[in-house]
Amino acid sequence: MFFLENAEIVENDRVGDGLYELKCRAPQIAGKGEPGQFVHVEIKPHQDASASPLLRRPFSLYGTDAERGMISILYRIRGVGTSLLAEVGPGEYLSVLGPLGKGFTLSGAGSAVLLVGGGMGIAPLAYLADRLLESGCGVNVLYGAETARELVALEKLEQSGARCHVATMDGSRGHKGLVTDLLARMPAEKAADMIYSCGPSEMMAHVAQFAKERGIPGEVSLESNMACGVGVCLGCAVRLKAGDRDYAKVCSDGPVFPIDQVEFEAGEGGRK
Amino acid sequence: MNLEVDLGGIRLANPVVMASGTFGYGFGYEGLLNPNEVGAVITKATTREPWAGNPPPRIAETPCGMLNAIGLENPGIEVFLSKYLPRLRSSGAVVIVNIAGRALKEYVELASIIDKATGVAGIEINISCPNVELGGMQLGTAPRMVSEIVKAVKEETNLPVMPKLSPNVTDIVGIATAAECAGADAISMINTLQGMAVDIETKRPVLGNIFGGLSGPAIKPVALRMVYQVYRAVDIPILGGGGIMSAKDAIEFFLVGASAVSVGTGTFVNPRLAMEVKAGIEDYMERHGHTGLDEIIGAAVL
C-alpha cells in the first residue's frame, strides 16, 4: 500500500557541501513508512515541465514523524534532478509517491546490532537506528565519509543514543581511511546479532564478507536508477548472484536484500 | 457525453488504455489506479516460455524521454494464465494480452492458448520490441512478415487482433496496410524508437543491451505523424500513443485519427495520468460541444 501525496516542503536545508536534508508534509506516507523503504519524488521545481527531468527520483526515507505527518530524505547533488531539487523552498510542493519497496527486517534483530554506512548510505540506517533504539536494541554504527563535513547524520545518530564509530578518508574526524577498516576492531566474539549496511558497493562487499566470516545475519540496501518505482517496468533489474537466472527488481523485491543473497563485485553497476 | 469506443471489436467504456509494459498485470498501482477504471489494460508482453530479460542497466533518462532495454522479461504464458489473468479478469477490467516470440510458431501457439482462456478481450501482437535479438521488431519491419504473422494469429483465434507497429521502418503505411489486408482488427502504434545513450566517463554505452527504445514526450511528434499517415491509409481503428503526458496530448492523437489512446511512460511520472487524461477529454468535448468521440477522431486530418 502506497500513496501519492502533494507534499508541502517544510525545510530543504543545505547540511554539508552539496548535501541537503528535505522535510515535507506527507501524512499518509509518514504514517506508513518503515526504515529501508523509499519515496519516488517528482522533480518539478518551476512548473516548467520541459526544464525538469522526466522521471521521478528515488530516495530512501531518512525519517518519518507520523504525529506531525512529516517525512525526510537526505541527498547529495549528483545531477540535474538533485540540482533542481535543491532549489525548491519551504511552501513549495512536490509530488511524492511512497512508501515503496521492502524495508529492513526489524523483528529478530536481537539485542545488539551493527550498522555500517558510507556517504548517503547513512540515510536509511539513521532511520533504522531510531526504530531499533526505540525497541531497546543496542546500536553500534560504523559511519564513513570523505571528510568530517560530510558526516551529516552523526549528530542525529548520537542524539538518538547510537554508539558511533567514524572514519573519514582525509582523517578530519575519527579513523583515517575506510569505514570497513573499523570492522577489524569489532570484538571477535558477539560483534553483533545482526548487521545492516548501505553505501558504496565495495564497502558493502567488505561488510558481507565480515558477516559471512562471523556468521552474523544481515541486510543491505541497494540502489538503482528507476522509472516506475513500483515493480511494473522492470527497469531496475539487478542480478544478485552471478549464477542466478532471474533478475531481482531493486524497487519491489528490495531495495533491502539479505546480505548473503547478494554477490558484490567491485565495479559492476547497480550494486552499490 | 459518450466516451465509449469500439476498437476493432473490443468495446471500451472509455478510450484511455494502459500500454503494454508500463502497467504490469494491472495491479502495480493498486489503490492509485485500478485496472477497471481505464478503457483497457494491455498486459506486459507474454512469451511462450519464461524470458529473463536483458542485463542491467536497463533504463536511461534522456531529455524529455527515457530509453529502456528490458528485453521482454516475463514469466511465460502458463504463469500469466494461472497467476495474473484470473485476478485481472475478476476486477472487471478489459484485458488485451500482448504476445511476443522469437518465431512465427510461438505467436501461433500463444494465440491458440489465449483463445481458449476466458476473460481476454483481444490480442496485441508485439512485432515491434527493439530490445530482443530475434522476434520483436525484426518481425515487424517488413510488410510480408507482418502479413504472415497477423494471418497466422487470426487463424488461431476469433478474438480481435491488433499488431503493435514499430516506428523504426522506412514506410509505416506499407506495414499498416499489410496488417489490414491480413485481417488485423485494429492497429496499435507506436512502439519505442530505437536509440542509445553513451557514458563519456566510462566510454561505454549506458545500457546493458547497448541499444534501447526511446519513449516519453520526445517521441510524440513522430507518433502523431505516423498515426496521421496510417489513418489516411487504413479503415480499421487505431490505438494511438507515444509520449502522452496530458489530456491535450491525447486529444492530438484523436484529431490525427486515433480511436483510442494508450498511456505508458507518463504513468511512471504521474500514476493517475490515465484518469486525468479521461477527465480532460470529457472537459474538451464539453467545451467544444461534442457528444461522441467519432466527432473528433481524424478531425485534423486534411
Side-chain angles (χ1 to χ4, degrees), chain A residues 212-263:
Chain A
K212 191 178 172 186
E213 284 167 9
R214 304 284 180 104
I216 305 168
E219 290 180 330
V220 289
S221 176
L222 305 186
E223 68 171 2
S224 171
N225 287 337
M226 292 180 188
C228 74
V230 302
V232 300
C233 80
L234 315 182
C236 61
V238 57
R239 185 160 267 164
L240 296 180
K241 288 194 170 176
D244 289 355
R245 178 192 168 277
D246 293 322
Y247 294 97
K249 307 307 164 307
V250 173
C251 76
S252 51
D253 297 322
V256 173
F257 294 92
I259 199 164
D260 59 358
Q261 275 184 21
V262 186
E263 215 170 67

Side-chain angles (χ1 to χ4, degrees), chain A residues 129-188:
Chain A
D130 270 350
R131 285 291 169 88
L132 291 171
L133 288 158
E134 278 169 21
S135 67
C137 202
V139 176
N140 270 298
V141 184
L142 309 186
Y143 183 7
E146 285 297 319
T147 174
R149 289 189 312 280
E150 293 190 4
L151 294 165
V152 292
L154 190 59
E155 201 182 316
K156 173 175 164 161
L157 280 164
E158 283 177 336
Q159 277 176 1
S160 62
R163 286 197 57 204
C164 297
H165 313 267
V166 165
T168 51
M169 292 307 288
D170 66 357
S172 52
R173 180 140 185 189
H175 167 75
K176 182 177 181 183
L178 295 167
V179 67
T180 46
D181 298 342
L182 301 174
L183 285 170
R185 302 186 187 173
M186 297 304 293

Side-chain angles (χ1 to χ4, degrees), chain B residues 255-266:
Chain B
L255 294 175
V256 297
S259 291
V261 291
S262 59
V263 296
T265 300

Side-chain angles (χ1 to χ4, degrees), chain B residues 235-274:
Chain B
D235 290 322
I236 49 177
I238 299 166
L239 171 62
I244 292 178
M245 301 295 290
S246 66
K248 176 181 169 290
D249 294 336
I251 291 158
E252 291 168 14
F253 277 91
F254 288 110
L255 294 175
V256 297
S259 291
V261 291
S262 59
V263 296
T265 300
T267 303
F268 302 156
V269 181
N270 174 8
R272 288 289 298 167
L273 177 64

